[in-house]
Amino acid sequence: MSQRVLSGGSDYLKSGYAKTYQSTAGTQEAVDSAELDRLHDGLLRDGYVILQRIVPEEQIDRISAELRELLPDSCGRNGFEGTLTQRIYAVISKTLACNPLVEHPLVLGLLDRVLAPNYLLSQLQVINILPGERSQPLHHDDAFYPVPRPRPHYGAATIIAMDDFTADNGATVVIPRSHTWDGHAPTPEDCAQSIPVIMPKGSMVLFLGTLWHGGGANHSTASRLAVTAQYCEPWVRQQENFSLSVPLARASECSAHMQRMLGYSIHPPFMGMVNGMHPRRLLDETS
Ligand SMILES: O=C(O)CCC(=O)C(=O)O
């Protein structure tokens, strides 16, 4: 009896269900490819890159005003979330104000280069570090995928400054080039190499999931507001369960890029399918 074997190059493995619903991955507004090359080189070299003032100040102020209204009265539940840090979770179910930050063309352009097509949003949070907060334990974001380092990143993240990030108000701290490390945790000598990401509001830092970083201590008298979006490869589990946290009607209000990153997309041939079909069908059925 002759057995048939699925070939690695078969069209089935590449296209999956993407006939009616062609992927919109990589179709965002064009960005200057020379600028992308420069940023991409820096990202691969240092593990992070700062995108200076990429969101206009008026837009940041408008979004911040809305987010400040949504901040909870309570702070984090442990030293990692920060006992003097307010966090908004399930952001998309509460407001769409952060979506333009999540799908900024320059961010998607860079993610297109460091993650596979149809990468996903892994989580979206708002983080407000209050005066007196201690520094957050250093960590790397994809540490919960139990695959030993050194290894490629399984995700990437942005932290968007909604206030100026200064040396003393809780600016994110990074250890440059730590994305290439093996599995060791930062030593005191490594920690001495950490630097705060000082940037004006409207800027963001984009880093790979293997880069050691953390929220800084806030020694100032004002709070530090940030939006952070984490993205992941299309074949790992998202941290936020968007299928449950974002109702279909809400997802229908989002752009095609956001819908794709929330999970209305397929990683060929069929990761993400619903009832054997492309998940975008559900959005059509609700409209
Ligand atoms: O708030 C920050 O600057 C970093 C936060 C962070 O890395 C986290 O909560 O995982």
Side-chain angles (χ1 to χ4, degrees):
M1 190 172 86
S2 70
Q3 290 292 348
R4 296 192 302 151
V5 175
L6 188 60
S7 133
S10 86
D11 274 355
Y12 170 67
L13 283 181
K14 285 191 218 123
S15 69
Y17 295 95
K19 296 195 174 55
T20 314
Y21 297 96
Q22 290 296 323
S23 172
T24 51
T27 61
Q28 71 275 356
E29 189 186 312
V31 282
D32 178 20
S33 65
E35 171 72 346
L36 268 182
D37 287 345
R38 188 184 67 76
L39 295 168
H40 182 226
D41 287 350
L43 180 60
L44 295 188
R45 183 188 61 236
D46 298 330
Y48 74 99
V49 69
I50 298 174
L51 312 178
Q52 292 282 351
R53 296 186 199 276
I54 68 166
V55 185
E57 206 167 313
E58 313 74 65
Q59 190 181 356
I60 290 290
D61 289 344
R62 223 176 320 114
I63 300 172
S64 294
E66 191 171 336
L67 296 180
R68 287 185 207 282
E69 292 290 311
L70 293 172
L71 286 170
D73 293 333
S74 57
C75 287
R77 296 159 287 191
N78 51 55
F80 188 84
E81 282 186 323
T83 52
L84 282 175
T85 297
Q86 298 161 298
R87 290 179 186 252
I88 306 176
Y89 289 104
V91 176
I92 294 173
S93 68
K94 297 170 187 168
T95 175
L96 298 179
C98 299
N99 286 17
L101 308 178
V102 177
E103 58 177 331
H104 190 289
L106 197 49
V107 172
L108 298 191
L110 276 169
L111 294 176
D112 284 343
R113 295 189 175 206
V114 295
L115 296 173
N118 296 305
Y119 51 80
L120 297 166
L121 186 63
S122 182
Q123 65 157 312
L124 181 61
Q125 270 189 53
V126 177
I127 304 180
N128 194 38
I129 301 184
L130 301 177
E133 179 62 281
R134 298 163 60 199
S135 58
Q136 186 187 37
L138 294 174
H139 57 281
H140 64 98
D141 282 338
D142 61 11
F144 40 75
Y145 299 122
V147 184
R149 294 175 61 133
R151 59 161 170 75
H153 51 274
Y154 293 156
T158 56
I159 297 185
I160 302 132
M162 307 303 286
D163 288 316
D164 290 340
F165 274 28
T166 68
D168 67 352
N169 76 347
T172 311
V173 164
V174 297
I175 306 185
R177 305 190 181 197
S178 56
H179 61 303
T180 59
W181 287 0
D182 60 16
H184 82 275
T187 61
E189 293 73 36
D190 293 326
C191 291
Q193 304 300 314
S194 67
I195 51 169
V197 179
I198 295 173
M199 55 185 176
K201 71 177 174 183
S203 309
M204 59 176 91
V205 55
L206 189 155
F207 53 90
L208 300 175
T210 40
L211 186 84
W212 286 88
H213 70 280
N218 189 345
H219 297 298
S220 78
T221 52
S223 55
R224 186 230 69 178
L225 188 67
V227 172
T228 177
Q230 289 188 24
Y231 308 81
C232 63
E233 292 286 15
W235 36 263
V236 298
R237 187 169 187 199
Q238 293 152 287
Q239 294 168 77
E240 182 169 344
N241 194 329
F242 288 111
S243 319
L244 298 176
S245 68
V246 181
L248 261 179
R250 187 57 149 175
S252 308
E253 296 174 58
C254 295
S255 70
H257 290 311
M258 289 299 295
Q259 290 169 349
R260 183 183 74 242
M261 291 189 286
L262 288 174
Y264 293 89
S265 51
I266 288 282
H267 176 60
F270 44 53
M271 287 182 85
M273 55 89 167
V274 174
N275 198 17
M277 310 260 203
H278 198 290
R280 282 194 67 84
R281 194 174 294 266
L282 296 178
L283 293 172
D284 284 354
E285 284 166 9
T286 52
S287 57

